[in-house]
Amino acid sequence: MVLVDAKGEAEIDENVEDFKGNPVDKSRTGGWLAAGLILGTELSERICVMGIAMNLVTYLVGDLHLSSSKSANTVTNFMGTLNLLGLLGGFVADARLGRYLTVAISASITALGVTLLTLATIIPSMRPPPCTDSRTQQCIEATGRQLVLLYAALYMTALGAGGIKSNVSGFGSDQFDTRDPKEEKSMIYFFNRFYFGISTGSLFAVTVLVYIQDNEGRAWGYGISAGTMVIAVAILLYGTRFYRFKKPQGSPLTIIWRVVLLAWKKRSLPHPSDPTFLNEYHNAEVSHTQKFRCLDKAAILDDYAAANGNRNNPWIVSTVTQVEEVKLVLKLIPIWSTCILFWTIYSQMNTFTIEQATFMNRHIGSFVVPSGSFSFFLFITILLFTSLNEKVFVPLARKLTHNNQGITSLQRIAVGLIFSAVAMVASALIEKHRREMAVNQNTQISAFWLVPQFFLVGAGEAFAYVGQLEFFIREAPEKMKSMSTGFFLSTLSMGYFVSSLLVSLVDKVTNGNWLRSNLDEAKLDNFYWILAVLAVLNFLVFLAFAAKHQYKVQLTTSSGREKELNIWNDGSIEDPEKNRSAKEKEGP
């Protein structure tokens, strides 16, 4: 961050330094070169993770002979854990290691995890006896002992990938000074190009890697992924001298815990007659607000807190800045909760949709398209709409709204939620048609009937992912940027876990009739209809929360003090401090 003095000249932020610990030279550090080297790590992470997740269900069902519901839950639990560990990665980066070290260590752990996964597919004793046709004969399911190495490899990969995902976008955005108009312009496009890049990695994974896994062997596919991550680590380390580093600001979770604890301890104290009596009110980096007033009690200067220099002890009294930062985090929770279901729907593209493809005609002439490669249509749609966002939708929205941001983050999320609901309707109709043709006419319809649901979910993700990532990074306190990215990733995590929960519940309630391993005897379309109804209800709740949300904008006054203003969804700006002063002058 850059502060502005009374003359309006930029000063170097003491929390930003180069790799030697010196103040940064903007001409030699940061910018697109540094960001590009950093995003190479996320590109490789996406190649590894998507190369695993998008084709893992076929390995679990076809080679390890696990049931359809158990295989789907294995995939969603893996992805859920991966994204949940993003919170841990964000915590470690903000509290101790910084984003650079966290990304470097996490990438190394990912490389080790994928290497172990390669070994799990090579060692014959890690697999049950082969089974030529699971539809006509009883196959022997993999035992717990045979699954140990597989699970160890998956969750080690999840640990490393979670650390990368929660920090790489924040570390990349650190390479741009948002107070510099030129770099601010680059920053606007950063998240779109970030997602375009990782979608390219995903596209490579579901075409080249999946083909290699199905035709040359899993060991070759996973081995290539491990090698890719090793190269990414080398590139990341090579670029060290080009990066801008932000010093860790301390554990954000500790700040949250302290504020909540102190507010509870002081719950019996009355609110001060004037908020200026709160601790460090006039030196606050964030303007005081009236929301969640119960937390203000953490900053009350009682006799004990004011005595003997106790006001500087954060375990005795919080500052207004700390209280307001916690309030900013709490403001994110309503939107966070309504983003979860999108990823529950998205997870079906990794599991049941891939299984559907195995029951459909996948021939193009004499060539048989691997089931996992149909995810190609998901990622090509993401690339298409990400490009359209940057080249068409955002510039058009800027002209219409005269807003530099164009499409707001919440508007992006809303569009994504709409696409997800329509996708589940299409999925239900297509699966019903597929099953009727298979049962009544003994005919396999073309697997390209799956393209509409991949297209709709992909278009939704192009809007929802960028919108959610931008929302959580921009709206969270500056000191909690890495944790806020982990907070965003937890929506993905919860989405996958909710999918596992729904699958388990539906499987139990229907006695396994809806989600059979043989989809011709199942009723998968009913499961899709449940998701479609939930998606519509979730969208309505999102609209209610979004209408009440105030965007955070941080400005710097002529005296050098930063203040945050509320930006309403209609574009109007509210200064809470100014409004409060006016009310105080008016009197009761």
Side-chain angles (χ1 to χ4, degrees), residues 509-521:
V509 170
T510 63
N511 294 319
N513 290 327
W514 282 17
L515 303 176
R516 293 176 180 270
S517 296
N518 186 348
L519 293 185
D520 291 345
E521 300 174 357

Side-chain angles (χ1 to χ4, degrees), residues 356-362 430 434 444-447 449-450:
Q356 283 178 273
T358 64
F359 284 81
M360 302 171 80
N361 183 358
R362 294 178 281 118
I430 291 168
R434 184 207 67 77
Q444 285 187 335
I445 66 172
S446 171
W449 275 87
L450 297 174

Side-chain angles (χ1 to χ4, degrees), residues 18 20 75 88 100 109 116 121 126 234 242 422 554 565 577:
D18 63 14
K20 293 182 178 179
V75 175
L88 175 63
Y100 169 72
I109 293 173
L116 289 178
T121 60
M126 293 294 102
F242 299 112
V422 177
Q554 196 169 62
L565 305 181
E577 200 169 279

Side-chain angles (χ1 to χ4, degrees), residues 528-560:
Y528 285 147
W529 279 118
I530 291 175
L531 289 175
V533 172
L534 291 176
V536 172
L537 296 176
N538 181 71
F539 176 68
L540 296 177
V541 175
F542 170 81
L543 290 181
F545 287 149
K548 295 180 179 179
H549 183 77
Q550 295 170 303
Y551 284 107
K552 181 201 79 174
V553 169
Q554 196 169 62
L555 300 178
T556 304
T557 63
S558 59
S559 62

Side-chain angles (χ1 to χ4, degrees), residues 407-433:
I407 304 174
T408 68
S409 55
L410 290 179
Q411 288 169 344
R412 291 177 190 263
I413 296 172
V415 174
L417 294 181
I418 292 171
F419 271 115
S420 69
V422 177
M424 286 300 94
V425 173
S427 299
L429 295 174
I430 291 168
E431 171 57 15
K432 183 179 180 180
H433 176 63

Side-chain angles (χ1 to χ4, degrees), residues 388-404:
L388 290 175
N389 276 339
E390 184 172 329
K391 302 297 183 182
V392 179
F393 299 145
V394 172
L396 180 61
R398 282 197 187 118
K399 292 180 180 180
L400 295 175
T401 63
H402 305 290
N403 186 322
N404 192 46

Side-chain angles (χ1 to χ4, degrees), residues 193-482:
R193 293 179 181 176
F194 163 75
Y195 201 61
F196 184 91
I198 62 177
S199 295
T200 302
S202 300
L203 198 61
F204 173 81
V206 301
T207 51
V208 178
L209 284 185
V210 166
Y211 179 83
I212 291 173
Q213 289 169 15
D214 282 5
N215 292 275
E216 303 299 330
R218 298 275 169 168
W220 277 104
Y222 294 147
I224 292 172
S225 298
T228 301
M229 184 53 69
V230 170
I231 294 173
V233 173
I235 292 174
L236 178 73
L237 296 177
Y238 167 77
T240 302
R241 59 196 174 113
F242 299 112
Y243 304 143
R244 298 175 189 172
F245 302 86
K246 284 192 175 181
K247 300 176 184 177
Q249 300 295 307
S251 166
L253 292 180
T254 302
I255 295 174
I256 295 172
W257 164 246
R258 279 200 308 245
V259 168
V260 173
L261 178 64
L262 289 173
W264 173 255
K265 285 184 175 180
K266 299 181 180 183
R267 64 189 183 280
S268 61
L269 296 178
H271 286 282
S273 58
D274 192 314
T276 58
F277 294 137
L278 296 173
N279 188 33
E280 296 288 334
Y281 176 87
H282 294 290
N283 296 323
E285 297 177 5
V286 185
S287 295
H288 178 261
T289 61
Q290 294 297 318
K291 286 194 173 184
F292 306 110
R293 288 189 69 223
C294 59
L295 295 178
D296 287 345
K297 293 191 175 184
I300 292 178
L301 284 166
D302 55 14
D303 293 339
Y304 178 68
N308 301 322
N310 286 340
R311 63 167 44 189
N312 295 322
N313 186 335
W315 288 103
I316 294 176
V317 61
S318 300
T319 65
V320 169
T321 297
Q322 292 167 345
V323 171
E324 292 302 321
E325 286 176 340
V326 175
K327 290 181 181 181
L328 285 173
V329 173
L330 292 177
K331 283 174 61 179
L332 302 179
I333 292 178
I335 301 299
W336 174 89
S337 66
T338 52
C339 291
I340 292 172
L341 195 67
F342 177 86
W343 300 108
T344 298
I345 290 172
Y346 176 85
S347 68
Q348 309 315 310
M349 302 301 106
N350 302 355
T351 54
F352 289 120
T353 302
I354 302 300
E355 280 197 73
Q356 283 178 273
T358 64
F359 284 81
M360 302 171 80
N361 183 358
R362 294 178 281 118
H363 287 81
I364 300 178
S366 60
F367 177 73
V368 179
V369 181
S371 300
S373 290
F374 280 89
S375 298
F376 166 86
F377 296 103
L378 175 70
F379 295 110
I380 200 68
T381 303
I382 293 170
L383 290 173
L384 172 64
F385 275 85
T386 302
S387 298
L388 290 175
N389 276 339
E390 184 172 329
K391 302 297 183 182
V392 179
F393 299 145
V394 172
L396 180 61
R398 282 197 187 118
K399 292 180 180 180
L400 295 175
T401 63
H402 305 290
N403 186 322
N404 192 46
Q405 190 178 0
I407 304 174
T408 68
S409 55
L410 290 179
Q411 288 169 344
R412 291 177 190 263
I413 296 172
V415 174
L417 294 181
I418 292 171
F419 271 115
S420 69
V422 177
M424 286 300 94
V425 173
S427 299
L429 295 174
I430 291 168
E431 171 57 15
K432 183 179 180 180
H433 176 63
R434 184 207 67 77
R435 189 180 71 249
E436 288 176 348
M437 294 294 291
V439 173
N440 298 331
Q441 300 185 28
N442 196 29
T443 301
Q444 285 187 335
I445 66 172
S446 171
F448 288 94
W449 275 87
L450 297 174
V451 172
Q453 60 204 67
F454 279 121
F455 176 85
L456 291 166
V457 172
E461 186 182 358
F463 284 95
Y465 190 104
V466 175
Q468 291 176 33
L469 181 60
E470 180 183 7
F471 175 80
F472 286 105
I473 287 184
R474 284 181 175 267
E475 295 299 291
E478 179 65 25
K479 296 177 183 177
M480 301 182 184
K481 184 181 285 188
S482 289

